[in-house]
Amino acid sequence: MMNDTFLKACRGEKTSYTPIWMMRQAGRYLPEYQKVRGKVTFLELCKSPELCVEVSLQPVDILGVDAAILFSDILIPMEAMGAPLTFSEGHGPIFPEPIRNQAALDRLIVPDPDVHTGFVMETIRLLRKELKVPLIGFSGAPFTLATYLIEGGSSKVFWETKKMMFTQPELFHNIMEKITECTSLYLQAQAKAGAQALQIFDSWVGVLAPCDFKEFALPYVQRIISDLQDTGLPIIYFANNGATLVDLSVQSGADVLGLDWRINIGDAIKKVGNKAVQGNIDPFALMLPKDKLRQRIQNLLDGAKDAHGHIFNLGHGIHQFTPPDQAKIAIDAVHELSAR
Ligand code: CP3
């Protein structure tokens, strides 16, 4: 029997309980993931469909979440564009050849997702044979992806990105155009391979002023989502640290808005109209003692009672040192306390 609670909530339909999954649910906090990861590098893992299937299934089997997310990384299609990518232990992703001029951008290609990232599509096809919960495909949003290409890796202040936005806006827009074309095709291919919902992660867009979000980031998200309309799949747009951007994010065209924990969910629901919401407890609140964690979950469920669909989630990815038992307590509590 297929559990379609998550998909119903995305469409704003009534469900018998509130579905839950956790961003970054397939990952290092699970000893079972560590075991698989111990044998291969992170990029090798991302390119081995059988292993990706195994780690995507882990949180479904071990924790009982209501949706699976494809195991991959938002930077995989950037590597496919031709930007060399490495992941170093402890330092995260590194692009040794950052994209900071038109010539470097011109050397990047718009990859054919089935050819250059065929392993992702294969993972999706294999997962669909195994899963009894819906499968979420994903990509990064153009702004977040651009920050990695322009900075050459992770950043806290985004100096190179913002400097380019403000001093060479044409170059910045050209980079966004190319990433957008790549991402749009990439998500369409995931839909064709069998993904049942698509999430767009805008992890770093919260560093933008609303006016800059509107000018430099939102139009590209809108274009991707409008390109995906023919797929009929629910689209989730998650603008991390986006409390000040909710009014604009509503204009993205997404069916579901992902919320981080810095905003009160009831306040957000008033702004999103008839869209569903996803979120939004502080990932670190999973460390609360059981009774306090359950109380916080109850409060969040109460706060979301007027939502046109609520998918319970963390406000950002689960932290790598979270004990899996604490995640399990939260998942069980959501199911139990929301049962109607
Ligand atoms: O369970 C899932 O959510 C699916 C898998 C997934 C990964 N990355 C696996 C991963 C997803 C959806 C992502 C998205 C991703 N990747 C984002 C957006 C979400 C967010 O957290 O904001 C971003 C910004 C990245 C880029 C990235 N990948 C960074 C900055 C890092 C290093 C820092 C870190 O958290 O380790 C990664 C590596 C990464 N991606 C790991 C995993 C499981 C850890 C790699 C390892 O095993 O060593």
Side-chain angles (χ1 to χ4, degrees), residues 21-28 33 37 42 69-75 87 89 92-93 138 144 148 154 201 203-204 316-317:
W21 69 282
M22 290 184 179
M23 288 188 275
R24 305 293 289 267
Q25 66 188 14
R28 286 170 300 191
Y33 170 85
R37 178 67 173 77
F42 177 63
I69 181 160
L70 162 72
F71 189 84
S72 188
D73 196 85
I74 59 167
L75 301 176
F87 278 87
E89 301 298 329
F138 71 89
T144 289
Y148 283 101
S154 302
F201 286 93
S203 304
W204 311 128
H316 200 179

Side-chain angles (χ1 to χ4, degrees), residues 12 89 118 129 231 286:
E89 301 298 329
K129 292 186 196 152
T231 68
L286 290 179

